[in-house]
Amino acid sequence: MQPDCLSAEGEGRCRRLLAGATARLRARPAAAAVLVPLCSVRGVPALLYTLRSSRLSGSHKGDVSFPGGKCDPTDQDVVHTALRETHEELGLSVPEEHVWGILRPVQDRQKAKVVPVLAGVGPLDPQSLRPNPEEVDEVFALPLAHLSQAQNQGYTHFCRRGHFSYTLPVFLHGPHRVWGLTAVITEFTLQLLVPGAYQPRLASSAGP
């Protein structure tokens, strides 16, 4: 896969496509925001993920996620929430000008809105980060080429009260399985960054 999405031209294309949603959604209230960090690992375009600490409370402990968390009343907007949480979790400071825009928001099981914020964080060695051990057990990156390959993709069917309810994508064969809302946000991101290489197989998939 050519690292076109890391070029100035690729970044400009993504920023233009996200400009409308970013202007519309940035100041709207939300329950939480996450940063989707697009990085280069040894020259290969990749997304950066965290493994949530097993010591956390709640149903998402030990899950793969993007850095982020609940919006604080002191946050200026969802972009600032995502940047603040990323610094608190990973010690990674991302300048606001490196934010490309806001992807399509998603809802968790409690119908709370989670806003994904895409940012280019440049060349990165995930092993050089010093995550907060109270929040993060591990940091790892998955190349866009890996995520785009059909053999690394699957789907999980969810049932409610014994009946089929909905289907979500899953990304396999990395250090950890990427599923749930993190997989949905990953799919939105791939549709934006590498539309020719990533072909979602769910008929209901919508773009970013």
Side-chain angles (χ1 to χ4, degrees):
M1 175 182 296
Q2 298 297 317
D4 295 338
C5 57
L6 297 180
S7 67
E9 182 180 355
E11 178 180 343
R13 179 188 67 84
C14 292
R15 284 180 178 268
R16 288 191 297 272
L17 289 172
L18 295 176
T22 301
R24 186 173 67 253
L25 297 169
R26 179 163 184 163
R28 288 188 183 179
V34 298
L35 193 76
V36 182
L38 172 64
C39 59
S40 170
V41 180
R42 294 185 292 277
V44 176
L47 296 181
L48 190 70
Y49 295 89
T50 70
L51 186 69
R52 290 171 61 86
S53 172
S54 57
R55 293 181 291 277
L56 290 171
S57 59
S59 58
H60 298 297
K61 62 182 179 180
D63 285 353
V64 170
S65 68
F66 289 114
K70 293 181 179 178
C71 294
D72 189 277
T74 61
D75 292 331
Q76 183 177 332
D77 52 34
V78 291
V79 169
H80 285 88
T81 297
L83 297 180
R84 173 183 58 77
E85 285 281 345
T86 299
H87 185 262
E88 290 176 3
E89 291 182 16
L90 302 181
L92 178 64
S93 297
V94 181
E96 188 175 340
E97 58 266 26
H98 289 192
V99 171
W100 292 12
I102 293 175
L103 297 163
R104 178 183 170 190
V106 295
Q107 286 188 332
D108 65 15
R109 295 177 190 173
Q110 287 73 44
K111 304 298 183 184
K113 184 166 74 172
V114 180
V115 178
V117 178
L118 177 65
V121 300
L124 190 67
D125 176 8
Q127 304 308 313
S128 69
L129 296 173
R130 295 294 178 263
N132 180 347
E134 296 300 315
E135 299 191 60
V136 176
D137 278 346
E138 186 180 335
V139 185
F140 64 98
L142 289 175
L144 300 186
H146 172 95
L147 293 165
S148 299
Q149 292 171 356
Q151 64 264 33
N152 297 325
Q153 300 164 13
Y155 293 94
T156 300
H157 301 287
F158 292 85
C159 293
R160 185 175 295 165
R161 299 186 184 94
H163 297 284
F164 170 76
S165 180
Y166 57 94
T167 301
L168 295 180
V170 179
F171 294 90
L172 308 166
H173 306 137
H176 304 281
R177 182 182 63 153
V178 180
W179 69 293
L181 292 188
T182 302
V184 174
I185 295 170
T186 297
E187 182 163 271
F188 291 165
T189 305
L190 292 172
Q191 288 177 276
L192 174 73
L193 296 176
V194 286
Y198 178 72
Q199 300 295 331
R201 288 176 287 169
L202 280 180
S204 60
S205 292

